Amino acid sequence: MRKRIALLTSQVEEKYIKDFTEGFMRKSFSYDYDVCVFSCFDKEPDTTLKEVSEANIFNLINWQEFDAFVVTPDVLSATGLMTSIEEKLLIHAGRKPVLFVDQKSDYFPFVAMNQNDSLDGLVDHMVDGHGYKDIIYISGPMTHIYAQQRLHSFKESMKRHNIEIQDDRIYYGNYWYDGGIDVVEDVFSSGKKLPDAFMCANDFMALGVCEALIKRGIEVPGQVAVTGFDSAMEARDCPIPITSVYIPFDEYGEYVGDYIHNMIEGKETEAYNFYWEIFEGESCGCLPQIKLEEKNKKYNWNSYKNYHSVYSRFSGFTESIMLQDSFRSLVSAMRDYSFQIREFDSFVLCLNDVWSNEVIDIDEVEIKHGYTERICPVLICTSDEIGSDTINYGIKFDRKEMLPLLYEECDYPRGFIFSPVYYDDVTFGYAVISYGKEAKCYDEEYSSWMHTIMLGIENYRRTAKLIRAKEQAEEIQDNDIATGMFNYNGFIKHARPVIGYASQRGYYHTVLAIEIEGIDEINSKYGRKDGENLIHDFAFLVYGSTDEGALCCRLDSDVFVIAEVTPENNDMKALVVLERLKEKIADYNKTSEHKIKIYFGIATRGAEALAHIEDLVSEAVNQKNGNKAKEIKMRNLNLNDDEIAKLEIVKKILDENLFDYHFQPIVSAKDGSIYAYEALMRPRVEPFISPLDVLKCAEHLDRLYDVEKATFLNVLSRASEESDKFDQRKIFVNSIPGANLSLEDSKAILEELKKLGGKVVVELTEQAEASDDELNAMKKNFIGMGVETAVDDYGTGYSNIVNLLRYMPNYVKIDRMLLSNIQNNPQKVHFVKDIVAFAKENKFKVLAEGVETKEELETVIRLGVDLIQGYYTSRPKADIIDNIEEEIQTQIIQFNRAV
C-alpha cells in the first residue's frame, strides 16, 4: 500500500496557502505519496460556534492511517485548536515524522522559510531606483519569526546603503489593515515629519497606510511612496497597485515536501535559499506591472458553463438548494449542480448516518462535536458526466476509514482534500474533493458552492423543525381568554391568508403596537379584577377603532397589536386607526375611574412570508418601546407648561408627519437662471411653531432621526411627483449630523433617489461639528446614495479651511453673517475672496447665502461666487417657480458684464 501524508491546514483556496499546498502535493507525488489535506474553510472563524465546527474536521483524522504529518499552525488560529492537535499527535503519531511549518512547537521539529535577505532587492529598488532615504518601516508582530527576519533584512539593507535608521522610524503592526492605519495616525498626531516612503512587512498593512494617507489628502506615490510584502491579490487589484515582493510559496511547498520525505527516510535536509522577485506596482512611483489575472479569463468554450457558474446571475443553484421540501430532493439538487465544480476527479459528500434515512428524526441530527461512528456517503460524484453519479442512503462505512476511496488500488499517487460540512455549532459531516494525480486545490468557487450546500442542509433542518413544531402547536388555543382577541399563535396562523391576499394585489402591511400604561400599578393598588376589566374595556375600544379584516392580537398582558393591509407603503392607515382609538380613549377617560394612557409604535412595508410579519411586529414593538422611553424622559426634564405644550406639538408633528416645505430658488451668478431649490421645513400645525423650535424639541425628545427621515422622504417624494416643475434643477436638502439613516431607511430613500437621477444635494450643518466617525459615516451613506454634499453656514462656529477639508463638499454655502453689508467691509471681502479662490482650486462651487440687497448682490458677483440665494433674488415659496423676477435677473447679467 502506498504511503500517505496528512497536511493539516486551513482555507486552501487563499492564494498563498493554495500555492504552498499545490507545491507540497507536487513534490509528494514525485516521491509516490498520497496526500490527504484536512482543511477548515475559514482560518479565523468569527464565532466560537463556528470555531468548534470548523475544527471538527481534525477530529475525523485516523492518525494510524498516515505515515507522516505536516501542520501549518499559522493558519489554524481557532481558540485551543493547535493545543488539541499537538496533544493528539503526541498520543497517536508515535515515532512517525511530524513537521510544523512556520511556527515552533515544543514537541516537534519545525521548518521556516529563510527570509533574512527577503527585502534586499526591494530596498535597493527604493533607495537606488527612486532615491528614497527617509523610510518608515512597519514590521509584523514582534514575536513572529517572519516579521523578525523581514525587519532584519530591512535593517541590514539600509545599513548597506549607509542609511542610519532612527528608532522612531520602526513600528510593529499586526499584519492587517488597521496596523497600517494606526501608524499613519501616530505620525500625524505626534507631529512627526512624513517620510519619503512607508515600507510594510505585508500588503494588508500597506493597503491600510495608503487608505489613511489618501484620506488625509496625501498623494500616493506623488508625496509618499508605499510598499508591501507578499504580493497579495487584493494589493494588486487595488486602485494604486502596491509594489511588493512575491513570496515563492509554491517553491516553499516543494521544499517542505522534500523535508518531510527526508524525515521519513531518516535523512537531513539542507538549507534552501529562495529567490525574492519584486512586483513593481504604482505605489513606489513606477509604472504599473499589471497582468491579466487568471480569474478574469473565460475558462470554457461552452457558454452554458460560463453563464451557469456559481457566481453567474443565471445560476439557479441557490434557489434550487433552498426550495427543496425533502432531503432526497435536496441531495438530487446538489448532484444536478455539481457541473459547476466539475473539474474534479471525485467528490464525495459524507454525512453523519442520522441523515441516511428517508424520514429523518430532526432532533437527532444536531451533533455538536465530532462525527457519528458510521458515515453515509449520500452523494458520490466521479469525473464522468452527472449521469454516473450516485445518490445513496443505504451504504455506510466506519468513520475510521475516513473515505473508502483512499484504500482502492491506484497506479499513481493522489490528493484528497477534506473539509467540514456544518452550520454554526451543528455538524452535518464532511466533504472530500480530489483532483486525482493533479497537484491542485479547490478555489473560491468551490468554497462558495459548499457554503450554499451547507446553507441548504441547514435550511432543510430548520424547515423540518418548524413544521414539526407547528404540528405540535396546532392544539394550542388561538384566542386570548380575557379579551377574545387572537393570542400570538392565533395571530400568526391567521396572518397566512392575509399575506396571500396582499401579495396578489401588491399591497403592504401596517402594524400598530400599543401598550397600556400602569396595568401593574392598578393590579397592585386596586386588585387584579380592576386590571382585567380595564384590559377588557380597552380591547373593546380597539375593536371599535379598526377596519374590517384587521387582525387584533393581545401580545402580552398590557401590549396589543393591530395589523392591517394597506395599498400605500406608509403609516397613514395605522395613524388613522390610532387617531380613532385616541378619540375613544378620551371619551372613556371622562367617565372611568381608571384612566387609559398608551404608548405606541408603527411599522409598515411589504411582507411575503410569515417571517416578514413577525419582523414587522418586532419593529413596531421596538418603536413603541423607544417612544415610551422618550416620553418618560420628557416628563423628567422639569419643563414649564408652555415648554411641555410645545414638546407635545412637536411630538404630534413627528408622529403624524405634519411637514410642508417651501422652496427657495438658488440662482446662477452668471445669468440669474434658477440652478436649484433649497427645501425649507414648514410645520403644518396651529399655532405655528418655527423650524428651529421643531429641531430643539426633537432633540429634547431624542427624535432628530425622525426629522432627518421625514425630511428626506417628504422632499424626495414631492420632487418625484412634481418632476416636471423641478425640471433638471437640483434640490438642496438639510441634513442633521449624527442622525445617520439606518440601512433599511437608506434603502427606501435610495429608491426615491433613483427616480431623481442625481439631482439631490445634502446640506451638512457645520455648526453642529460632527465627529470624524459621524462625518465619515454620513459621507459614506450619501455617496452610496449617489448624492452631492454642501457645507452650510460656512464662516460661523467651527469654520476654517482645515474643517472644510474634512468635509470636502461639492458646494460651500457662505453664511449670511459674512455677506451682510459686505460692500462696506474690506475684511469680509478678503475672506470671501479667499474662499472663492480655495474653492476653484479644489473644484467645488461657492454659494452666497442670504443676499438681501442690490449692493451685496453686486459685490459677491464681483468676487466670483458661482451661486446666489437670498430674499433679494427670491423668497421661499410653497409652489415651484420657473424664473426669478426679470429685473433681478437683468441686474445679475449686467453686474457680470462689469466684472
Side-chain angles (χ1 to χ4, degrees):
M1 178 66 70
R2 182 176 288 108
K3 288 185 177 180
R4 190 179 297 125
I5 301 175
L7 171 61
L8 283 62
T9 188
S10 180
Q11 211 165 321
V12 297
E13 76 275 16
E14 193 166 279
K15 180 167 173 48
Y16 74 92
I17 304 174
K18 181 181 176 72
D19 288 349
F20 171 84
T21 303
E22 290 178 352
F24 177 77
M25 278 185 174
R26 186 162 47 253
K27 182 59 70 171
S28 298
F29 290 171
S30 73
Y31 292 122
D32 199 34
Y33 298 129
D34 282 340
V35 176
C36 290
V37 180
F38 295 87
S39 173
C40 305
F41 278 118
D42 191 345
K43 62 186 178 187
E44 294 181 353
D46 54 3
T47 67
T48 53
L49 300 181
K50 290 181 181 179
E51 281 188 343
V52 172
S53 295
E54 287 276 11
N56 262 342
I57 196 63
F58 304 110
N59 293 326
L60 175 68
I61 300 173
N62 182 353
W63 309 91
Q64 306 307 316
E65 295 295 325
F66 294 94
D67 298 281
F69 304 90
V70 175
V71 186
T72 61
D74 239 14
V75 294
L76 297 173
S77 55
T79 306
L81 176 56
M82 277 313 305
T83 301
S84 171
I85 288 174
E86 279 191 315
E87 289 174 353
K88 288 173 181 175
L89 285 167
L90 285 168
I91 295 169
H92 300 293
R95 296 184 179 180
K96 295 176 181 177
V98 177
L99 180 63
F100 273 48
V101 178
D102 291 346
Q103 194 176 109
K104 291 183 179 179
S105 167
D106 293 334
Y107 311 104
F108 304 106
F110 103 105
V111 64
M113 187 184 298
N114 183 355
Q115 299 189 13
N116 280 316
D117 60 354
S118 56
L119 277 166
D120 291 359
L122 187 57
V123 172
D124 290 347
H125 180 78
M126 297 294 281
V127 175
D128 298 334
H130 290 286
Y132 303 133
K133 294 185 178 180
D134 182 11
I135 298 174
I136 285 180
Y137 182 77
I138 307 177
S139 178
M142 192 174 292
T143 58
H144 195 279
I145 183 170
Y146 289 147
Q148 295 169 353
Q149 291 179 352
R150 292 171 198 173
L151 177 59
H152 170 81
S153 178
F154 172 75
K155 288 180 175 180
E156 290 300 309
S157 298
M158 294 291 280
K159 186 186 297 183
R160 184 162 43 81
H161 287 90
N162 297 316
I163 299 174
E164 183 180 353
I165 308 169
Q166 301 299 322
D167 290 342
D168 67 349
R169 282 334 215 186
I170 302 291
Y171 287 85
Y172 291 90
N174 59 0
Y175 282 150
W176 199 236
Y177 298 94
D178 55 357
I181 293 170
D182 290 346
V183 171
V184 173
E185 293 304 316
D186 181 78
V187 170
F188 277 94
S189 63
S190 62
K192 294 179 183 177
K193 175 179 172 290
L194 269 177
D196 298 332
F198 287 88
M199 292 184 68
C200 305
N202 83 332
D203 283 350
F204 290 108
M205 292 193 296
L207 288 168
V209 169
C210 289
E211 179 183 341
L213 288 172
I214 291 169
K215 278 187 177 179
R216 287 183 170 271
I218 305 300
E219 294 180 4
V220 177
Q223 293 172 268
V224 179
V226 179
T227 68
F229 191 98
D230 69 20
S231 196
M233 195 67 70
E234 293 88 341
R236 281 183 270 165
D237 289 345
C238 65
I240 302 172
I242 304 296
T243 294
S244 187
V245 176
Y246 288 104
I247 300 181
F249 283 112
D250 184 90
E251 195 177 348
Y252 185 36
E254 292 192 359
Y255 175 65
V256 172
D258 278 330
Y259 205 112
I260 195 69
H261 169 70
N262 288 337
M263 290 179 70
I264 292 172
E265 296 292 318
K267 301 176 183 177
E268 294 293 325
T269 303
E270 294 182 4
Y272 185 85
N273 292 321
F274 295 91
Y275 172 66
W276 303 97
E277 180 185 356
I278 298 174
F279 171 78
E280 294 179 10
E282 287 182 84
S283 65
C284 67
C286 291
L287 292 175
Q289 186 188 45
I290 299 298
K291 299 176 182 178
L292 177 67
E293 298 297 345
E294 285 295 317
K295 66 179 182 180
N296 294 326
K297 292 182 179 178
K298 176 179 175 182
Y299 285 108
N300 302 299
W301 294 104
N302 186 327
S303 294
Y304 178 82
K305 290 183 178 180
N306 288 308
Y307 285 139
H308 292 78
S309 73
V310 172
Y311 299 128
S312 171
R313 65 187 179 90
F314 298 101
S315 172
F317 179 44
T318 302
E319 291 84 349
S320 181
I321 288 293
M322 302 302 283
L323 295 175
Q324 302 305 320
D325 58 3
S326 73
F327 187 63
R328 178 175 287 274
S329 64
L330 176 63
V331 179
S332 295
M334 298 175 192
R335 176 198 60 191
D336 293 345
Y337 278 88
S338 62
F339 70 86
Q340 295 182 327
I341 57 164
R342 203 69 192 184
E343 295 178 353
F344 53 66
D345 184 68
S346 65
F347 170 80
V348 185
L349 180 63
C350 301
L351 299 185
N352 294 318
D353 67 350
V354 290
W355 291 92
S356 63
N357 301 313
E358 184 67 23
V359 179
I360 296 168
D361 186 341
I362 209 66
D363 289 334
E364 291 187 3
V365 304
E366 295 188 14
I367 294 172
K368 308 290 185 177
H369 300 281
Y371 303 91
T372 54
E373 291 299 319
R374 303 285 289 170
I375 299 296
C376 180
V378 296
L379 178 61
I380 303 173
C381 301
T382 66
S383 58
D384 299 326
E385 293 301 316
I386 294 174
S388 63
D389 297 340
T390 304
I391 294 177
N392 160 65
Y393 295 102
I395 301 173
K396 302 177 185 178
F397 61 84
D398 194 300
R399 183 193 65 198
K400 293 180 180 179
E401 290 184 57
M402 298 177 289
L403 185 71
L405 190 59
L406 288 175
Y407 307 95
E408 294 181 2
E409 291 293 335
C410 186
D411 295 334
Y412 48 82
R414 296 167 296 174
F416 299 88
I417 305 176
F418 293 74
S419 51
V421 177
Y422 70 95
Y423 188 85
D424 274 351
D425 60 339
V426 179
T427 297
F428 306 134
Y430 54 94
V432 189
I433 191 166
S434 172
Y435 300 97
K437 60 184 177 183
E438 184 179 1
K440 180 178 178 179
C441 294
Y442 59 70
D443 55 17
E444 291 180 356
E445 193 158 5
Y446 176 80
S447 293
S448 296
W449 194 85
M450 282 303 306
H451 182 67
T452 303
I453 292 292
M454 291 188 272
L455 285 177
I457 298 175
E458 174 65 7
N459 181 67
Y460 173 77
R461 183 183 76 87
R462 291 190 182 195
T463 302
K465 197 167 186 177
L466 285 172
I467 291 172
R468 183 169 179 268
K470 175 181 174 296
E471 290 170 350
Q472 291 176 342
E474 282 183 346
E475 298 178 2
I476 297 176
Q477 186 179 2
D478 289 342
N479 295 88
D480 172 61
I481 297 173
T483 63
M485 287 182 173
F486 291 129
N487 57 27
Y488 190 63
N489 292 310
F491 173 79
I492 292 299
K493 179 176 179 180
H494 288 81
R496 190 185 301 275
V498 178
I499 293 171
Y501 171 83
S503 296
Q504 289 173 7
R505 290 160 179 78
Y507 285 0
Y508 302 89
H509 298 264
T510 185
V511 173
L512 172 62
I514 309 158
E515 178 182 341
I516 306 176
E517 181 185 58
I519 288 295
D520 289 341
E521 185 180 342
I522 292 173
N523 288 337
S524 175
K525 190 173 183 179
Y526 300 100
R528 185 165 295 277
K529 186 66 176 177
D530 279 30
E532 290 177 355
N533 288 338
L534 185 65
I535 289 289
H536 180 271
D537 292 345
F538 181 72
F540 182 78
L541 300 179
V542 168
Y543 276 128
S545 306
T546 56
D547 300 314
E548 185 178 354
L551 290 177
C552 300
C553 164
R554 186 182 180 190
L555 191 64
D556 203 346
S557 60
D558 51 3
V559 179
F560 294 77
V561 166
I562 303 168
E564 297 206 37
V565 171
T566 172
E568 302 295 334
N569 189 16
N570 57 49
D571 298 339
M572 189 53 64
K573 189 163 188 177
L575 289 169
V576 170
V577 173
L578 180 64
E579 199 57 39
R580 290 183 203 147
L581 180 59
K582 285 181 175 179
E583 290 175 2
K584 292 183 179 297
I585 289 172
D587 291 339
Y588 177 87
N589 287 343
K590 292 175 184 177
T591 58
S592 174
E593 178 185 359
H594 304 303
K595 311 301 180 186
I596 295 176
K597 178 176 174 53
I598 62 171
Y599 306 105
F600 70 90
I602 299 172
T604 305
R605 64 171 180 271
E608 298 177 356
L610 285 176
H612 300 157
I613 292 291
E614 291 180 296
D615 289 344
L616 269 176
V617 172
S618 296
E619 188 177 333
V621 170
N622 288 338
Q623 190 187 112
K624 179 266 298 178
N625 292 339
N627 290 340
K628 177 181 178 180
K630 290 167 187 174
E631 284 205 33
I632 293 172
K633 177 183 176 182
M634 184 179 75
R635 292 180 203 166
N636 296 330
L637 289 175
N638 296 321
L639 304 175
N640 61 41
D641 291 343
D642 289 341
E643 290 170 329
I644 292 174
K646 188 176 288 187
L647 283 174
E648 289 292 345
I649 293 172
V650 171
K651 183 176 178 297
K652 179 180 177 68
I653 292 170
L654 296 173
D655 289 344
E656 301 179 23
N657 192 17
L658 300 177
F659 292 105
D660 284 331
Y661 297 86
H662 285 192
F663 293 86
Q664 184 173 28
I666 295 169
V667 302
S668 165
K670 298 295 182 187
D671 58 16
S673 62
I674 295 179
Y675 176 84
Y677 304 90
E678 180 178 358
L680 300 169
M681 178 205 304
R682 295 293 185 267
R684 189 171 64 250
V685 291
E686 292 292 341
F688 178 77
I689 184 170
S690 73
L692 184 59
D693 281 340
V694 170
L695 290 174
K696 288 180 178 177
C697 291
E699 187 171 9
H700 270 306
L701 294 169
D702 196 20
R703 295 188 65 178
L704 285 174
Y705 182 95
D706 295 331
V707 177
E708 180 89 339
K709 176 181 175 181
T711 299
F712 271 94
L713 290 176
N714 293 341
V715 173
L716 297 181
S717 177
R718 181 165 175 189
S720 296
E721 292 168 3
E722 301 183 35
S723 58
D724 56 330
K725 294 182 180 179
F726 285 94
D727 197 18
Q728 295 303 310
R729 302 180 183 104
K730 295 184 180 291
I731 303 160
F732 281 60
V733 183
N734 287 284
S735 179
I736 303 168
N740 297 311
L741 297 170
S742 68
L743 178 61
E744 185 174 335
D745 288 335
S746 293
K747 286 180 179 178
I749 290 168
L750 185 58
E751 290 302 312
E752 293 295 329
L753 286 169
K754 288 177 182 177
K755 303 173 187 176
L756 298 175
K759 294 194 295 186
V760 175
V761 180
V762 175
E763 294 190 21
L764 309 176
T765 306
E766 194 197 15
Q767 287 177 326
E769 182 62 3
S771 68
D772 284 343
D773 288 342
E774 289 173 333
L775 184 59
N776 289 333
M778 204 163 24
K779 288 194 292 188
K780 182 179 179 182
N781 214 5
F782 292 137
I783 289 170
M785 293 181 182
V787 303
E788 296 180 309
T789 56
V791 166
D792 196 12
D793 301 333
Y794 190 73
T796 62
Y798 299 91
S799 295
N800 55 61
I801 294 297
V802 173
N803 212 33
L804 192 58
L805 284 170
R806 292 175 64 237
Y807 284 79
M808 284 309 290
N810 303 96
Y811 306 84
V812 59
K813 299 181 72 172
I814 302 176
D815 188 70
R816 165 71 189 155
M817 182 189 74
L818 283 174
L819 300 180
S820 178
N821 202 28
I822 188 172
Q823 70 278 4
N824 297 320
N825 190 319
Q827 289 83 5
K828 289 184 179 181
V829 168
H830 180 74
F831 190 87
V832 172
K833 188 175 182 180
D834 284 347
I835 294 171
V836 171
F838 181 80
K840 291 189 183 303
E841 288 177 9
N842 289 276
K843 295 181 174 55
F844 54 82
K845 296 182 184 297
V846 176
L847 191 160
E849 186 177 27
V851 174
E852 295 187 357
T853 68
K854 179 180 177 180
E855 291 75 22
E856 291 171 358
L857 177 68
E858 180 179 8
T859 304
V860 296
I861 290 174
R862 177 166 51 83
L863 291 173
V865 302
D866 301 287
L867 302 168
I868 297 165
Q869 179 182 359
Y871 282 179
Y872 187 75
T873 52
S874 179
R875 287 178 174 271
K877 300 183 185 297
D879 295 322
I880 309 302
I881 63 171
D882 202 45
N883 295 290
I884 63 173
E885 292 181 11
E886 186 177 349
E887 179 185 351
I888 305 300
Q889 190 167 2
T890 301
Q891 288 178 5
I892 292 173
I893 294 170
Q894 289 173 345
F895 292 153
N896 266 285
R897 288 174 181 166
V899 173

